[in-house]
Amino acid sequence: GAVVSQHPSRVICKSGTSVKIECRSLDFQATTMFWYRQFPKQSLMLMATSNEGSKATYEQGVEKDKFLINHASLTLSTLTVTSAHPEDSSFYICSARENRGLGPQHFGDGTRLSIL
Amino acid sequence: AQRVTQPEKLLSVFKGAPVELKCNYSYSGSPELFWYVQYSRQRLQLLLRHISRESIKGFTADLNKGETSFHLKKPFAQEEDSAMYYCAGRGKLIFGQGTELSVKP
């Protein structure tokens, strides 16, 4: 079945560092990918919709300059947390829809980001 | 505003008992609803979607437009069903708060 690969699975870094997270659709093309954030014992919160070849659409309250999204190809979207601070520590999950955005969403394994 | 609500954070049942995980939605237009499951230390997996009307792992969910609900049901719970269950709606997936199902032996 369709698989979404997310890398890295875990990042620990110092405050002020920028961190890039990759999301790849392995056996299908994804014109649209989604980035979520999940706090402990809470549900997923949609951060932004990543659109191949165009600007991402951010949800209300999500800082565009803080969370840079690039969707340069049909199989890869990246999320860069710029100048990360401890409050950015969280679990970040990406997903992609197959079948030209009409099929179900498939999720990556998530990235645990810890900022010291 | 688009919203999907799961009123129960935790549902605990005994093995063999019936299970119903509640989900209510609130948004305009035709509903597009899904149930996702997250087993311990695993990724989110699609369990059901309302348009397919299928049964997966013994779970079913019926869309009730009158009650704006999409409750997930299983007649006889198994221990391996213990997981987090998320109801989600619409194209970019608005998630409910999630319900942790605990099935005791």
Side-chain angles (χ1 to χ4, degrees):
Chain A
V3 176
V4 172
S5 173
Q6 194 172 334
H7 178 80
S9 58
R10 176 106 198 209
V11 180
I12 302 172
C13 57
K14 294 181 180 179
S15 184
T17 307
S18 291
V19 178
K20 180 187 281 188
I21 303 170
E22 293 186 349
C23 181
R24 294 180 185 272
S25 56
L26 295 186
D27 54 359
F28 65 99
Q29 293 183 332
T31 54
T32 305
M33 292 184 175
F34 304 92
W35 288 97
Y36 295 84
R37 187 171 178 175
Q38 186 178 30
F39 292 101
K41 305 233 180 244
Q42 293 190 29
S43 186
L44 281 75
M45 182 192 76
L46 180 66
M47 298 174 64
T49 303
S50 173
N51 304 299
E52 187 268 334
S54 64
K55 291 182 179 180
T57 305
Y58 290 81
E59 295 300 304
Q60 192 172 8
V62 178
E63 298 177 58
K64 299 178 184 181
D65 296 331
K66 177 66 155 178
F67 300 100
L68 298 178
I69 291 173
N70 184 277
H71 194 152
S73 77
L74 286 170
T75 58
L76 174 64
S77 174
T78 60
L79 169 69
T80 302
V81 183
T82 61
S83 187
H85 292 286
E87 58 267 27
D88 299 322
S89 298
S90 191
F91 194 56
Y92 293 87
I93 305 171
C94 75
S95 71
R97 289 192 88 164
E98 57 176 319
N99 193 21
R100 293 176 169 271
L102 301 176
Q105 285 202 19
H106 300 282
F107 287 82
D109 282 328
T111 298
R112 175 78 56 196
L113 176 61
S114 300
I115 307 299
L116 305 176
Chain B
Q2 298 178 1
R3 182 172 292 180
V4 175
T5 305
Q6 292 176 252
E8 303 143 327
K9 284 195 76 173
L10 173 65
L11 183 62
S12 184
V13 301
F14 286 103
K15 178 183 173 181
V19 169
E20 182 179 70
L21 296 156
K22 292 183 168 53
C23 171
N24 290 91
Y25 65 92
S26 169
Y27 50 80
S28 58
S30 299
E32 183 183 7
L33 292 158
F34 306 83
W35 274 100
Y36 282 82
V37 59
Q38 188 173 31
Y39 299 103
S40 179
R41 300 186 179 279
Q42 294 187 29
R43 69 178 66 190
L44 273 163
Q45 301 173 36
L46 177 66
L47 184 62
L48 287 174
R49 46 180 164 167
H50 86 277
I51 57 172
S52 59
R53 298 183 64 82
E54 56 196 340
S55 173
I56 303 293
K57 299 184 179 183
F59 285 98
T60 59
D62 290 318
L63 180 64
N64 186 321
K65 291 186 179 181
E67 295 182 359
T68 59
S69 68
F70 188 55
H71 301 330
L72 183 67
K73 300 178 184 179
K74 184 169 183 176
F76 308 103
Q78 304 298 315
E79 289 181 66
E80 55 265 31
D81 295 328
S82 297
M84 281 295 297
Y85 290 82
Y86 294 96
C87 183
R90 272 296 171 87
K92 59 183 181 180
L93 279 190
I94 307 296
F95 278 85
Q97 298 88 328
T99 300
E100 181 181 354
L101 175 63
S102 174
V103 181
K104 299 177 179 178

Short mmCIF file of all heavy atoms in Angstrom, two decimals, chain B residues 20-78:
data_model
loop_
_atom_site.label_atom_id
_atom_site.label_comp_id
_atom_site.label_asym_id
_atom_site.label_seq_id
_atom_site.Cartn_x
_atom_site.Cartn_y
_atom_site.Cartn_z
N GLU B 20 -18.49 1.45 21.41
CA GLU B 20 -18.95 2.53 20.55
C GLU B 20 -18.12 3.77 20.87
O GLU B 20 -18.16 4.29 21.98
CB GLU B 20 -20.44 2.83 20.75
CG GLU B 20 -20.91 3.95 19.82
CD GLU B 20 -22.39 4.27 19.96
OE1 GLU B 20 -22.77 4.83 21.00
OE2 GLU B 20 -23.16 3.95 19.03
N LEU B 21 -17.38 4.23 19.89
CA LEU B 21 -16.58 5.45 20.03
C LEU B 21 -17.33 6.55 19.30
O LEU B 21 -17.59 6.45 18.11
CB LEU B 21 -15.19 5.25 19.42
CG LEU B 21 -14.34 4.18 20.11
CD1 LEU B 21 -13.31 3.62 19.18
CD2 LEU B 21 -13.67 4.79 21.31
N LYS B 22 -17.64 7.60 20.04
CA LYS B 22 -18.52 8.63 19.48
C LYS B 22 -17.74 9.70 18.71
O LYS B 22 -16.63 10.09 19.07
CB LYS B 22 -19.32 9.29 20.60
CG LYS B 22 -20.36 8.36 21.23
CD LYS B 22 -21.17 9.09 22.28
CE LYS B 22 -22.39 8.28 22.71
NZ LYS B 22 -22.08 6.93 23.13
N CYS B 23 -18.39 10.17 17.65
CA CYS B 23 -17.83 11.25 16.85
C CYS B 23 -18.98 12.08 16.29
O CYS B 23 -19.92 11.53 15.69
CB CYS B 23 -17.00 10.69 15.70
SG CYS B 23 -16.46 11.95 14.51
N ASN B 24 -18.92 13.37 16.49
CA ASN B 24 -19.91 14.28 15.91
C ASN B 24 -19.19 15.32 15.07
O ASN B 24 -18.08 15.74 15.41
CB ASN B 24 -20.72 14.97 17.01
CG ASN B 24 -21.65 14.01 17.71
OD1 ASN B 24 -21.28 13.40 18.71
ND2 ASN B 24 -22.83 13.85 17.16
N TYR B 25 -19.79 15.70 13.99
CA TYR B 25 -19.17 16.68 13.11
C TYR B 25 -20.05 17.91 12.98
O TYR B 25 -21.27 17.86 13.20
CB TYR B 25 -18.88 16.07 11.74
CG TYR B 25 -20.11 15.68 10.95
CD1 TYR B 25 -20.71 16.57 10.05
CD2 TYR B 25 -20.67 14.41 11.09
CE1 TYR B 25 -21.83 16.21 9.33
CE2 TYR B 25 -21.79 14.04 10.38
CZ TYR B 25 -22.36 14.95 9.50
OH TYR B 25 -23.48 14.58 8.79
N SER B 26 -19.41 18.96 12.58
CA SER B 26 -20.13 20.22 12.45
C SER B 26 -19.48 21.04 11.36
O SER B 26 -18.50 21.73 11.60
CB SER B 26 -20.10 20.99 13.77
OG SER B 26 -20.56 22.31 13.59
N TYR B 27 -19.95 20.91 10.16
CA TYR B 27 -19.52 21.80 9.10
C TYR B 27 -20.48 21.70 7.94
O TYR B 27 -21.22 20.75 7.80
CB TYR B 27 -18.09 21.50 8.64
CG TYR B 27 -17.76 20.07 8.30
CD1 TYR B 27 -18.10 19.52 7.07
CD2 TYR B 27 -17.06 19.29 9.21
CE1 TYR B 27 -17.78 18.22 6.76
CE2 TYR B 27 -16.73 17.99 8.90
CZ TYR B 27 -17.08 17.46 7.68
OH TYR B 27 -16.76 16.17 7.38
N SER B 28 -20.42 22.71 7.11
CA SER B 28 -21.37 22.80 6.01
C SER B 28 -20.91 21.95 4.83
O SER B 28 -19.76 21.53 4.76
CB SER B 28 -21.51 24.25 5.56
OG SER B 28 -20.25 24.75 5.18
N GLY B 29 -21.81 21.67 3.93
CA GLY B 29 -21.46 20.89 2.76
C GLY B 29 -21.52 19.40 3.04
O GLY B 29 -21.85 18.96 4.14
N SER B 30 -21.21 18.63 2.04
CA SER B 30 -21.26 17.17 2.20
C SER B 30 -20.15 16.71 3.14
O SER B 30 -19.00 17.07 2.96
CB SER B 30 -21.09 16.49 0.84
OG SER B 30 -22.14 16.85 -0.03
N PRO B 31 -20.49 15.91 4.12
CA PRO B 31 -19.45 15.44 5.04
C PRO B 31 -18.54 14.41 4.38
O PRO B 31 -18.99 13.64 3.53
CB PRO B 31 -20.24 14.82 6.19
CG PRO B 31 -21.54 14.41 5.57
CD PRO B 31 -21.82 15.40 4.49
N GLU B 32 -17.29 14.44 4.75
CA GLU B 32 -16.31 13.45 4.30
C GLU B 32 -15.58 13.02 5.55
O GLU B 32 -14.79 13.78 6.11
CB GLU B 32 -15.34 14.08 3.30
CG GLU B 32 -14.35 13.10 2.72
CD GLU B 32 -13.35 13.77 1.78
OE1 GLU B 32 -13.36 15.02 1.70
OE2 GLU B 32 -12.55 13.07 1.16
N LEU B 33 -15.87 11.84 6.04
CA LEU B 33 -15.41 11.46 7.38
C LEU B 33 -14.60 10.18 7.38
O LEU B 33 -14.83 9.28 6.57
CB LEU B 33 -16.61 11.29 8.31
CG LEU B 33 -17.32 12.61 8.61
CD1 LEU B 33 -18.75 12.37 9.05
CD2 LEU B 33 -16.57 13.38 9.69
N PHE B 34 -13.65 10.11 8.30
CA PHE B 34 -12.74 8.99 8.41
C PHE B 34 -12.55 8.63 9.89
O PHE B 34 -12.70 9.46 10.77
CB PHE B 34 -11.35 9.34 7.86
CG PHE B 34 -11.35 9.85 6.44
CD1 PHE B 34 -11.61 11.19 6.18
CD2 PHE B 34 -11.07 9.01 5.39
CE1 PHE B 34 -11.60 11.67 4.88
CE2 PHE B 34 -11.05 9.48 4.09
CZ PHE B 34 -11.31 10.81 3.83
N TRP B 35 -12.19 7.39 10.12
CA TRP B 35 -11.67 6.97 11.42
C TRP B 35 -10.24 6.50 11.21
O TRP B 35 -9.96 5.68 10.32
CB TRP B 35 -12.50 5.85 12.01
CG TRP B 35 -13.69 6.31 12.78
CD1 TRP B 35 -14.99 6.35 12.37
CD2 TRP B 35 -13.69 6.82 14.13
NE1 TRP B 35 -15.79 6.85 13.37
CE2 TRP B 35 -15.03 7.15 14.45
CE3 TRP B 35 -12.70 7.01 15.10
CZ2 TRP B 35 -15.39 7.67 15.70
CZ3 TRP B 35 -13.06 7.52 16.34
CH2 TRP B 35 -14.39 7.85 16.62
N TYR B 36 -9.33 7.04 12.03
CA TYR B 36 -7.94 6.63 12.03
C TYR B 36 -7.63 5.98 13.37
O TYR B 36 -8.19 6.35 14.40
CB TYR B 36 -7.01 7.82 11.81
CG TYR B 36 -6.92 8.28 10.38
CD1 TYR B 36 -7.89 9.12 9.84
CD2 TYR B 36 -5.88 7.87 9.57
CE1 TYR B 36 -7.82 9.52 8.52
CE2 TYR B 36 -5.79 8.29 8.25
CZ TYR B 36 -6.76 9.11 7.74
OH TYR B 36 -6.68 9.52 6.42
N VAL B 37 -6.68 5.04 13.35
CA VAL B 37 -6.27 4.38 14.57
C VAL B 37 -4.76 4.51 14.72
O VAL B 37 -4.03 4.48 13.73
CB VAL B 37 -6.70 2.90 14.58
CG1 VAL B 37 -6.10 2.13 13.41
CG2 VAL B 37 -6.33 2.22 15.89
N GLN B 38 -4.32 4.68 15.94
CA GLN B 38 -2.89 4.78 16.23
C GLN B 38 -2.56 3.81 17.35
O GLN B 38 -2.89 4.06 18.52
CB GLN B 38 -2.50 6.20 16.61
CG GLN B 38 -1.00 6.41 16.74
CD GLN B 38 -0.64 7.87 16.95
OE1 GLN B 38 -1.39 8.64 17.54
NE2 GLN B 38 0.52 8.27 16.44
N TYR B 39 -1.95 2.68 16.99
CA TYR B 39 -1.51 1.73 17.99
C TYR B 39 -0.25 2.24 18.64
O TYR B 39 0.46 3.08 18.07
CB TYR B 39 -1.28 0.35 17.36
CG TYR B 39 -2.53 -0.24 16.75
CD1 TYR B 39 -2.74 -0.23 15.36
CD2 TYR B 39 -3.53 -0.80 17.55
CE1 TYR B 39 -3.88 -0.75 14.81
CE2 TYR B 39 -4.69 -1.31 16.99
CZ TYR B 39 -4.86 -1.28 15.62
OH TYR B 39 -6.00 -1.79 15.06
N SER B 40 0.05 1.71 19.82
CA SER B 40 1.20 2.20 20.58
C SER B 40 2.47 2.19 19.73
O SER B 40 2.83 1.17 19.15
CB SER B 40 1.38 1.33 21.82
OG SER B 40 2.50 1.76 22.57
N ARG B 41 3.12 3.36 19.66
CA ARG B 41 4.40 3.50 18.96
C ARG B 41 4.32 3.23 17.46
O ARG B 41 5.32 2.87 16.83
CB ARG B 41 5.47 2.62 19.60
CG ARG B 41 5.74 2.95 21.05
CD ARG B 41 6.90 2.15 21.61
NE ARG B 41 7.16 2.49 23.00
CZ ARG B 41 7.82 3.54 23.41
NH1 ARG B 41 8.35 4.36 22.53
NH2 ARG B 41 8.02 3.77 24.69
N GLN B 42 3.15 3.37 16.89
CA GLN B 42 3.01 3.19 15.45
C GLN B 42 2.39 4.44 14.83
O GLN B 42 1.86 5.30 15.52
CB GLN B 42 2.15 1.97 15.13
CG GLN B 42 2.78 0.66 15.55
CD GLN B 42 1.97 -0.53 15.07
OE1 GLN B 42 1.29 -0.47 14.04
NE2 GLN B 42 2.04 -1.62 15.80
N ARG B 43 2.47 4.52 13.52
CA ARG B 43 1.91 5.66 12.82
C ARG B 43 0.39 5.57 12.77
O ARG B 43 -0.19 4.52 12.96
CB ARG B 43 2.47 5.74 11.41
CG ARG B 43 2.00 4.61 10.49
CD ARG B 43 2.55 4.77 9.08
NE ARG B 43 3.99 4.61 9.05
CZ ARG B 43 4.74 4.89 7.97
NH1 ARG B 43 4.17 5.37 6.89
NH2 ARG B 43 6.04 4.72 8.00
N LEU B 44 -0.21 6.69 12.46
CA LEU B 44 -1.66 6.72 12.23
C LEU B 44 -2.00 5.89 11.00
O LEU B 44 -1.34 5.96 9.97
CB LEU B 44 -2.11 8.15 11.97
CG LEU B 44 -2.48 9.00 13.17
CD1 LEU B 44 -2.51 10.46 12.77
CD2 LEU B 44 -3.83 8.58 13.72
N GLN B 45 -3.06 5.10 11.14
CA GLN B 45 -3.51 4.27 10.01
C GLN B 45 -4.98 4.52 9.75
O GLN B 45 -5.76 4.68 10.69
CB GLN B 45 -3.34 2.77 10.34
CG GLN B 45 -1.94 2.34 10.68
CD GLN B 45 -1.92 0.90 11.16
OE1 GLN B 45 -2.68 0.06 10.67
NE2 GLN B 45 -1.08 0.61 12.13
N LEU B 46 -5.32 4.55 8.48
CA LEU B 46 -6.73 4.68 8.14
C LEU B 46 -7.47 3.41 8.52
O LEU B 46 -7.06 2.31 8.18
CB LEU B 46 -6.88 4.93 6.64
CG LEU B 46 -8.30 5.03 6.11
CD1 LEU B 46 -9.00 6.25 6.66
CD2 LEU B 46 -8.30 5.05 4.59
N LEU B 47 -8.56 3.57 9.25
CA LEU B 47 -9.38 2.43 9.65
C LEU B 47 -10.63 2.32 8.75
O LEU B 47 -10.89 1.28 8.17
CB LEU B 47 -9.78 2.57 11.12
CG LEU B 47 -10.56 1.42 11.74
CD1 LEU B 47 -9.74 0.13 11.73
CD2 LEU B 47 -10.95 1.76 13.18
N LEU B 48 -11.35 3.42 8.67
CA LEU B 48 -12.59 3.41 7.90
C LEU B 48 -12.81 4.78 7.27
O LEU B 48 -12.40 5.79 7.81
CB LEU B 48 -13.80 3.14 8.80
CG LEU B 48 -14.04 1.75 9.34
CD1 LEU B 48 -15.21 1.80 10.32
CD2 LEU B 48 -14.35 0.77 8.21
N ARG B 49 -13.52 4.79 6.15
CA ARG B 49 -14.04 6.05 5.63
C ARG B 49 -15.49 5.86 5.27
O ARG B 49 -15.87 4.77 4.83
CB ARG B 49 -13.24 6.54 4.44
CG ARG B 49 -12.95 5.50 3.39
CD ARG B 49 -12.16 6.12 2.27
NE ARG B 49 -11.53 5.14 1.42
CZ ARG B 49 -11.00 5.42 0.24
NH1 ARG B 49 -11.01 6.66 -0.22
NH2 ARG B 49 -10.43 4.48 -0.49
N HIS B 50 -16.27 6.89 5.43
CA HIS B 50 -17.71 6.70 5.37
C HIS B 50 -18.20 6.33 3.98
O HIS B 50 -19.18 5.63 3.84
CB HIS B 50 -18.45 7.95 5.88
CG HIS B 50 -18.67 9.00 4.83
ND1 HIS B 50 -17.72 9.93 4.48
CD2 HIS B 50 -19.75 9.24 4.04
CE1 HIS B 50 -18.20 10.70 3.54
NE2 HIS B 50 -19.43 10.32 3.25
N ILE B 51 -17.48 6.74 2.95
CA ILE B 51 -17.98 6.48 1.60
C ILE B 51 -17.84 5.01 1.22
O ILE B 51 -18.54 4.53 0.34
CB ILE B 51 -17.25 7.34 0.56
CG1 ILE B 51 -15.74 7.12 0.61
CG2 ILE B 51 -17.59 8.80 0.76
CD1 ILE B 51 -15.00 7.80 -0.51
N SER B 52 -16.97 4.29 1.88
CA SER B 52 -16.75 2.90 1.48
C SER B 52 -17.70 1.94 2.18
O SER B 52 -17.90 0.83 1.70
CB SER B 52 -15.31 2.49 1.74
OG SER B 52 -15.01 2.64 3.10
N ARG B 53 -18.22 2.35 3.33
CA ARG B 53 -19.17 1.52 4.08
C ARG B 53 -18.65 0.09 4.29
O ARG B 53 -19.36 -0.88 4.12
CB ARG B 53 -20.52 1.47 3.37
CG ARG B 53 -21.20 2.84 3.25
CD ARG B 53 -22.57 2.71 2.61
NE ARG B 53 -23.47 1.92 3.43
CZ ARG B 53 -24.15 2.38 4.47
NH1 ARG B 53 -24.03 3.65 4.82
NH2 ARG B 53 -24.96 1.59 5.15
N GLU B 54 -17.39 -0.03 4.60
CA GLU B 54 -16.80 -1.35 4.78
C GLU B 54 -16.61 -1.63 6.26
O GLU B 54 -16.82 -0.77 7.11
CB GLU B 54 -15.46 -1.41 4.07
CG GLU B 54 -14.49 -0.33 4.51
CD GLU B 54 -13.32 -0.16 3.55
OE1 GLU B 54 -13.04 -1.09 2.77
OE2 GLU B 54 -12.69 0.90 3.58
N SER B 55 -16.23 -2.87 6.54
CA SER B 55 -15.94 -3.26 7.92
C SER B 55 -14.48 -3.69 7.98
O SER B 55 -14.05 -4.56 7.23
CB SER B 55 -16.85 -4.42 8.33
OG SER B 55 -16.48 -4.91 9.60
N ILE B 56 -13.75 -3.05 8.85
CA ILE B 56 -12.33 -3.36 9.01
C ILE B 56 -12.09 -3.80 10.44
O ILE B 56 -12.48 -3.11 11.38
CB ILE B 56 -11.46 -2.13 8.69
CG1 ILE B 56 -11.74 -1.61 7.30
CG2 ILE B 56 -9.98 -2.47 8.86
CD1 ILE B 56 -11.32 -2.54 6.19
N LYS B 57 -11.47 -4.97 10.59
CA LYS B 57 -11.16 -5.50 11.92
C LYS B 57 -12.41 -5.58 12.78
O LYS B 57 -12.36 -5.43 14.01
CB LYS B 57 -10.09 -4.66 12.62
CG LYS B 57 -8.77 -4.63 11.87
CD LYS B 57 -7.71 -3.88 12.63
CE LYS B 57 -6.39 -3.89 11.85
NZ LYS B 57 -5.29 -3.23 12.58
N GLY B 58 -13.55 -5.78 12.16
CA GLY B 58 -14.80 -5.90 12.89
C GLY B 58 -15.45 -4.57 13.23
O GLY B 58 -16.55 -4.54 13.79
N PHE B 59 -14.80 -3.44 12.90
CA PHE B 59 -15.35 -2.12 13.17
C PHE B 59 -16.22 -1.66 12.00
O PHE B 59 -15.90 -1.90 10.84
CB PHE B 59 -14.23 -1.09 13.36
CG PHE B 59 -13.52 -1.18 14.67
CD1 PHE B 59 -12.31 -1.86 14.77
CD2 PHE B 59 -14.04 -0.57 15.81
CE1 PHE B 59 -11.65 -1.95 15.97
CE2 PHE B 59 -13.38 -0.66 17.02
CZ PHE B 59 -12.19 -1.35 17.10
N THR B 60 -17.29 -0.98 12.34
CA THR B 60 -18.13 -0.33 11.35
C THR B 60 -18.46 1.07 11.84
O THR B 60 -18.38 1.36 13.04
CB THR B 60 -19.45 -1.10 11.13
OG1 THR B 60 -20.15 -1.18 12.38
CG2 THR B 60 -19.21 -2.48 10.57
N ALA B 61 -18.82 1.91 10.90
CA ALA B 61 -19.24 3.28 11.26
C ALA B 61 -20.26 3.73 10.24
O ALA B 61 -20.04 3.61 9.03
CB ALA B 61 -18.04 4.23 11.28
N ASP B 62 -21.36 4.23 10.73
CA ASP B 62 -22.42 4.71 9.85
C ASP B 62 -22.59 6.21 10.00
O ASP B 62 -22.65 6.73 11.13
CB ASP B 62 -23.75 4.02 10.19
CG ASP B 62 -23.74 2.56 9.78
OD1 ASP B 62 -23.23 2.26 8.68
OD2 ASP B 62 -24.21 1.72 10.56
N LEU B 63 -22.69 6.86 8.87
CA LEU B 63 -22.90 8.29 8.88
C LEU B 63 -24.37 8.58 9.15
O LEU B 63 -25.25 8.06 8.45
CB LEU B 63 -22.50 8.89 7.53
CG LEU B 63 -22.68 10.39 7.37
CD1 LEU B 63 -21.77 11.15 8.32
CD2 LEU B 63 -22.42 10.80 5.93
N ASN B 64 -24.66 9.36 10.16
CA ASN B 64 -26.02 9.74 10.49
C ASN B 64 -26.12 11.25 10.33
O ASN B 64 -25.72 12.02 11.20
CB ASN B 64 -26.35 9.33 11.93
CG ASN B 64 -27.81 9.58 12.28
OD1 ASN B 64 -28.40 10.58 11.88
ND2 ASN B 64 -28.39 8.67 13.03
N LYS B 65 -26.68 11.66 9.19
CA LYS B 65 -26.73 13.09 8.90
C LYS B 65 -27.68 13.82 9.83
O LYS B 65 -27.47 14.98 10.18
CB LYS B 65 -27.12 13.32 7.44
CG LYS B 65 -26.06 12.90 6.45
CD LYS B 65 -26.44 13.28 5.02
CE LYS B 65 -25.35 12.88 4.04
NZ LYS B 65 -25.69 13.25 2.65
N GLY B 66 -28.74 13.14 10.25
CA GLY B 66 -29.68 13.77 11.15
C GLY B 66 -29.07 14.13 12.48
O GLY B 66 -29.32 15.20 13.05
N GLU B 67 -28.22 13.24 12.98
CA GLU B 67 -27.55 13.48 14.25
C GLU B 67 -26.14 14.04 14.06
O GLU B 67 -25.43 14.23 15.04
CB GLU B 67 -27.47 12.17 15.05
CG GLU B 67 -28.82 11.60 15.46
CD GLU B 67 -28.68 10.33 16.29
OE1 GLU B 67 -27.55 9.88 16.52
OE2 GLU B 67 -29.73 9.81 16.71
N THR B 68 -25.75 14.24 12.83
CA THR B 68 -24.39 14.68 12.47
C THR B 68 -23.36 13.87 13.24
O THR B 68 -22.47 14.40 13.92
CB THR B 68 -24.18 16.19 12.72
OG1 THR B 68 -24.40 16.50 14.10
CG2 THR B 68 -25.08 17.02 11.84
N SER B 69 -23.49 12.55 13.13
CA SER B 69 -22.57 11.67 13.85
C SER B 69 -21.97 10.63 12.93
O SER B 69 -22.51 10.33 11.84
CB SER B 69 -23.32 10.97 15.00
OG SER B 69 -24.26 10.05 14.49
N PHE B 70 -20.86 10.09 13.37
CA PHE B 70 -20.15 9.03 12.63
C PHE B 70 -19.48 8.15 13.68
O PHE B 70 -18.28 8.03 13.76
CB PHE B 70 -19.13 9.67 11.68
CG PHE B 70 -18.48 8.69 10.74
CD1 PHE B 70 -19.23 7.88 9.90
CD2 PHE B 70 -17.09 8.60 10.66
CE1 PHE B 70 -18.62 6.99 9.03
CE2 PHE B 70 -16.47 7.72 9.78
CZ PHE B 70 -17.24 6.92 8.97
N HIS B 71 -20.31 7.51 14.49
CA HIS B 71 -19.79 6.71 15.60
C HIS B 71 -19.17 5.41 15.10
O HIS B 71 -19.67 4.77 14.19
CB HIS B 71 -20.92 6.38 16.58
CG HIS B 71 -21.60 7.59 17.16
ND1 HIS B 71 -20.95 8.80 17.35
CD2 HIS B 71 -22.88 7.78 17.57
CE1 HIS B 71 -21.78 9.67 17.87
NE2 HIS B 71 -22.97 9.09 18.01
N LEU B 72 -18.10 5.01 15.77
CA LEU B 72 -17.39 3.78 15.42
C LEU B 72 -17.84 2.67 16.37
O LEU B 72 -17.84 2.86 17.59
CB LEU B 72 -15.88 4.00 15.57
CG LEU B 72 -14.96 2.84 15.19
CD1 LEU B 72 -15.03 2.59 13.68
CD2 LEU B 72 -13.53 3.14 15.61
N LYS B 73 -18.20 1.53 15.81
CA LYS B 73 -18.74 0.45 16.63
C LYS B 73 -18.07 -0.88 16.35
O LYS B 73 -17.62 -1.14 15.24
CB LYS B 73 -20.25 0.31 16.37
CG LYS B 73 -21.07 1.53 16.66
CD LYS B 73 -22.54 1.31 16.31
CE LYS B 73 -23.33 2.58 16.53
NZ LYS B 73 -24.77 2.42 16.19
N LYS B 74 -18.04 -1.70 17.39
CA LYS B 74 -17.57 -3.06 17.24
C LYS B 74 -18.34 -3.91 18.25
O LYS B 74 -18.41 -3.56 19.42
CB LYS B 74 -16.07 -3.19 17.48
CG LYS B 74 -15.53 -4.59 17.23
CD LYS B 74 -14.01 -4.62 17.22
CE LYS B 74 -13.51 -6.03 16.89
NZ LYS B 74 -12.03 -6.10 16.78
N PRO B 75 -18.94 -5.00 17.81
CA PRO B 75 -19.80 -5.77 18.73
C PRO B 75 -19.04 -6.48 19.85
O PRO B 75 -19.56 -6.59 20.97
CB PRO B 75 -20.50 -6.78 17.81
CG PRO B 75 -19.66 -6.84 16.59
CD PRO B 75 -18.99 -5.53 16.44
N PHE B 76 -17.82 -6.92 19.57
CA PHE B 76 -17.07 -7.66 20.59
C PHE B 76 -15.61 -7.18 20.59
O PHE B 76 -14.84 -7.51 19.70
CB PHE B 76 -17.11 -9.16 20.31
CG PHE B 76 -18.49 -9.71 20.10
CD1 PHE B 76 -18.96 -10.02 18.83
CD2 PHE B 76 -19.34 -9.90 21.18
CE1 PHE B 76 -20.24 -10.51 18.64
CE2 PHE B 76 -20.62 -10.40 21.01
CZ PHE B 76 -21.08 -10.70 19.73
N ALA B 77 -15.25 -6.41 21.59
CA ALA B 77 -13.90 -5.83 21.64
C ALA B 77 -12.85 -6.88 21.94
O ALA B 77 -13.10 -7.84 22.70
CB ALA B 77 -13.86 -4.74 22.70
N GLN B 78 -11.69 -6.70 21.34
CA GLN B 78 -10.54 -7.57 21.58
C GLN B 78 -9.43 -6.75 22.23
O GLN B 78 -9.36 -5.53 22.05
CB GLN B 78 -10.04 -8.17 20.26
CG GLN B 78 -11.08 -8.94 19.47
CD GLN B 78 -11.59 -10.14 20.25
OE1 GLN B 78 -10.82 -10.89 20.83
NE2 GLN B 78 -12.90 -10.33 20.26
#
